[in-house]
Amino acid sequence: MASISSALVIGGGVAGPVTAAALAKAGIEATVYEAYPEPTEGIGGLLALEPNGVVALDTIGAATGVLDAGTPITRSRMAIGGRTFDLVASPSGLPARQAIERADLHRVLREQAVAAGVRLEHGRRLVSVSEDADGVVAHFDDGSSARGDVLVGADGVRSTVRTLIDPGAPGAGYTGLLGFGGYADVDLDVEPATMTFAFGRRAYYLYWRHGDGRVAWGVNLPSPYLSLTEARRTPPEEWLRTLREVYADDDPGALLAASTSAESLQVVGALHIMPPVPHWHRGRMVLVGDAVHAPSNSTGQGASLAIESGIQLARCLRDLPSVESAFAAYEGLRRTRVEKIAARGAKISHAKAPGPLARRLMPLVLPLVFRAPAVARVAEEEQRYAIDWDAKVA
């Protein structure tokens, strides 16, 4: 072990509790510090957890809770220009993709972390960090502080830890899309366990049959940048009017928008993508999850990659003789994979807001692209990734 017995984990979303639970499994005491004053129920919207993410969660015992809370998706289709076609199926022998509310995923991960002995503290917003020969001290905006052997920045795309590691680090880029989610209470012929990715005339959306019978759908709306706080200043009723106008000429987009209530509409805000981050760690600080590798939501891999990285970081700290060597090995295990997936997602995001010429060509080109053998190879490579927890990190 890298001569550490305690870790401060900043951020209580997806990466934070997973990393802390994996550290506890590795014999390292971990505490999660979350800026929100209370658990983040209702923050965010619907997301998909890919098979590799579900498999990774089994390492810390959280897969069962996710399978219980999620809706399995075993078939994916694309609809564009009046045509609908099947996408490449997930590799055989893997668990199904899970469509799940972010709030439910957060709850499952928090409960698993607590069961593993992790302490969670809310209302602790990090403002600065100091290091010495014996460890690292986190200083919070309420005047309190905490000491540990290492500090893990799992604090999302607007990471404070990232800027403490490198003041010149790049920030998250805006994809040009706002995210929304909702539930349509409508009698629509949607096959169970099937997710449809639809390119409407003005905007992209996706939908599937939720476990309670309603149709869940997600929206990627081309828009000038709005943060989550800014987007939520607009009443849901106004956003619904906008969505009904945008999807008025789409089938079934128009019906989904018309059948969604303001109460069920989830405003996600700006969708981000992280450019490559030059420095993943410095001294006793290291980054994990969206703080260092937030791919476009187009990949479907954001949460799954965060989960993988938290577990791999714990393995490295468990097995390697120094903090420096553990952090270097962790980056070596993760950087190529996450940056390759991020690059793929950036290309797909551009297709969600095409120009007039591209929009005319897409119904002809996309069926060929998504049926190409290369797409199957990418799915195989991304989704069969598995972590051998018991193997020693070299």
Side-chain angles (χ1 to χ4, degrees), residues 54 104 181 187 239 251 266 271 339 345 384-385:
V54 178
D104 287 335
D187 184 16
W239 281 125
D251 180 21
Q266 301 163 325
L271 302 177
E339 290 186 355
R384 281 209 184 277
Y385 182 92

Side-chain angles (χ1 to χ4, degrees), residues 254-335:
L255 182 58
L256 293 173
S259 305
T260 299
S261 67
E263 291 74 23
S264 74
L265 185 69
Q266 301 163 325
V267 181
V268 179
L271 302 177
H272 296 92
I273 185 170
M274 278 298 301
V277 175
H279 304 290
W280 284 35
H281 54 89
R282 177 176 65 81
R284 292 177 177 268
M285 295 186 291
V286 64
L287 299 169
V288 71
D290 282 358
V292 69
H293 55 65
S296 160
N297 68 315
S298 304
T299 66
Q301 283 283 359
S304 296
L305 292 179
I307 291 163
E308 292 175 359
S309 289
I311 294 169
Q312 291 288 41
L313 174 61
R315 289 181 65 232
C316 293
L317 287 167
R318 178 194 67 187
D319 293 344
L320 295 173
S322 69
V323 171
E324 182 181 4
S325 63
F327 287 173
Y330 156 68
E331 181 179 348
L333 284 171
R334 299 301 296 159
R335 184 184 279 274

Side-chain angles (χ1 to χ4, degrees), residues 142-230:
D142 61 0
S144 65
S145 63
R147 171 178 282 275
D149 294 320
V150 295
L151 183 142
V152 180
D155 48 346
V157 293
R158 300 198 177 282
S159 171
T160 297
V161 180
R162 185 174 65 238
T163 59
L164 293 174
I165 288 174
D166 176 13
Y174 177 45
T175 61
L177 302 167
L178 294 181
F180 299 85
Y183 292 95
D185 199 355
V186 61
D187 184 16
L188 183 65
D189 185 18
V190 178
E191 293 183 36
T194 298
M195 183 173 285
T196 300
F197 302 90
F199 284 87
R201 292 189 62 181
R202 299 178 183 85
Y204 169 90
Y205 62 106
L206 67 161
Y207 60 94
W208 66 95
R209 175 75 64 185
H210 187 61
D212 64 5
R214 294 179 297 171
V215 178
W217 69 307
V219 171
N220 289 182
L221 181 70
S223 170
Y225 177 81
L226 289 175
S227 68
L228 175 60
T229 300
E230 291 168 335

Side-chain angles (χ1 to χ4, degrees), residues 10 23-24 33 37 62 69 97 120 141 162 174 188 273 315:
I10 310 301
L23 288 168
Y33 299 93
R97 171 192 290 141
L120 279 71
D141 66 353
R162 185 174 65 238
Y174 177 45
L188 183 65
I273 185 170
R315 289 181 65 232

